[in-house]
Amino acid sequence: MSEHSRLYAIHSDEECERLELQARLANIQGHLRHLPIAPNARVLDAGCGSGAMSRLIARSFPRTEIVAVDVRQEYLDYAEALTRAEGIRNITFRKVDIFSLPFPDGSFDIVWTKYLLQWLNEPKLALAELKRITKPGGFVVSCDMVGVTIDHFPIQPDFNRRVRDVIGALADCEIGRKVAPFMIALGFRDVRVRIETDTIFTVIGSIDPERRWNCEKLLQSARPQLAQIVGSELAADQFIERLMAHYDDPMTCSYAALYFTRGRVRGLTPIDL
């Protein structure tokens, strides 16, 4: 793991299965409208996890070439196995450091990433590396969270502060607001943001069983890190129990948003001259 990255606190032996469920709950088919993929494009999926988005792009654009990368070999092995099982032939997988990608400048027409930047101490540095490998005129598209697991109402003020402090120590739950300013500072052109409701962590009333399993699995996987943050395993268990009780309460609501931020790499078009 790079010194510029946070610990991926939610890793577990079941993480790829959880990611596959999460992709279904998120209806990732809708994410394609944010990707200006042309025929024969070369696409990078940065932080591919279980490979759900890579496979969707490959099926939807069969003439594209997709390169799917992640830092964990076990995720890549899982993703590659599913890809073979589905008979998909236009994806290759590579283990990489997101801050030092093994690709020449201008290698890809589209670079896609989701839920990656929240796990980085230096997300702007990672965006600069993604920009480097994008062709002039190509796009970097980053899908990022705002408010996930920390935006609740009604909630006791003291517990609200504790949730924000504890979860914020694991990941940057407001990273979505920061990506567009980072892109502007890095010299991207035509930067835009589209905001959508996150359908995984937005819960109105009691949480349903699949979303509950997903949320509790996240928290239980992060239990060792939570124990360090709150001071003990007992305190971590109490925190998880109280947060899940909030999700179960039919009188409460929880909110989350996805920010799809897109920036174009400067190219030889009239607007850039």
Side-chain angles (χ1 to χ4, degrees):
M1 184 176 69
S2 168
E3 62 181 332
H4 304 299
S5 299
R6 299 180 183 221
L7 177 69
Y8 188 61
I10 58 175
H11 169 71
S12 75
D13 291 340
E14 296 178 284
E15 177 62 358
C16 285
E17 288 82 0
R18 190 196 68 80
L19 290 172
E20 286 294 301
L21 169 64
Q22 186 166 267
R24 178 169 59 80
L25 294 175
N27 187 25
I28 60 171
Q29 182 77 32
H31 294 358
L32 292 177
R33 63 178 171 270
H34 301 287
L35 295 173
I37 298 176
N40 302 309
R42 193 163 191 246
V43 180
L44 179 75
D45 183 0
C48 66
S50 67
M53 192 66 181
S54 295
R55 300 194 314 276
L56 174 61
I57 295 171
R59 291 191 302 267
S60 303
F61 303 93
R63 296 196 307 180
T64 59
E65 176 192 353
I66 299 104
V67 179
V69 301
D70 205 284
V71 72
R72 288 185 177 270
Q73 186 62 49
E74 60 264 47
Y75 295 179
L76 295 169
D77 293 343
Y78 183 98
E80 190 164 12
L82 284 184
T83 298
R84 287 197 306 269
E86 294 182 19
I88 296 172
R89 300 181 180 277
N90 55 331
I91 308 176
T92 57
F93 296 92
R94 294 188 67 173
K95 182 180 179 181
V96 303
D97 175 357
I98 197 66
F99 295 98
S100 182
L101 293 168
F103 307 111
D105 295 358
S107 293
F108 297 93
D109 300 285
I110 302 289
V111 172
W112 160 262
T113 185
K114 181 180 181 183
Y115 288 168
L116 169 66
L117 300 182
Q118 71 207 41
W119 298 109
L120 306 180
N121 289 321
E122 298 288 347
K124 186 178 177 182
L125 190 62
L127 284 169
E129 180 68 351
L130 297 180
K131 180 187 177 190
R132 178 188 69 78
I133 62 167
T134 304
K135 294 178 182 179
F139 293 90
V140 174
V141 184
S142 184
C143 175
D144 300 282
M145 63 166 60
V146 170
V148 169
T149 70
I150 65 170
D151 192 356
H152 310 281
F153 188 85
I155 185 172
Q156 291 294 323
D158 61 333
F159 188 54
N160 183 48
R161 289 190 294 270
R162 186 160 179 79
V163 168
R164 289 180 173 272
D165 289 345
V166 171
I167 301 299
L170 293 176
D172 186 347
C173 297
E174 302 288 346
I175 185 63
R177 304 181 192 276
K178 304 172 185 177
V179 180
F182 287 159
M183 284 190 173
I184 292 169
L186 290 167
F188 283 87
R189 306 300 296 265
D190 306 326
V191 176
R192 77 173 203 189
V193 180
R194 299 290 185 267
I195 303 173
E196 299 180 2
T197 301
D198 179 275
T199 58
I200 304 167
F201 294 98
T202 296
V203 178
I204 308 304
S206 298
I207 194 168
D208 64 273
E210 285 189 317
R211 286 171 177 78
R212 190 186 199 284
W213 182 88
N214 182 68
C215 186
E216 188 168 25
K217 185 63 182 175
L218 283 173
L219 294 170
Q220 290 293 346
S221 298
R223 184 174 176 269
Q225 284 67 49
L226 288 173
Q228 293 182 24
I229 295 166
V230 300
S232 70
E233 292 184 353
L234 176 60
D237 290 339
Q238 292 171 338
F239 176 83
I240 294 170
E241 182 179 359
R242 187 172 179 185
L243 186 53
M244 292 311 303
H246 174 88
Y247 278 111
D248 289 331
D249 188 340
M251 303 305 293
T252 65
C253 297
S254 301
Y255 305 96
L258 293 180
Y259 281 46
F260 293 84
T261 308
R262 190 176 88 179
R264 181 171 60 84
V265 173
R266 185 181 181 93
L268 295 178
T269 62
I271 194 173
D272 292 326
L273 298 176

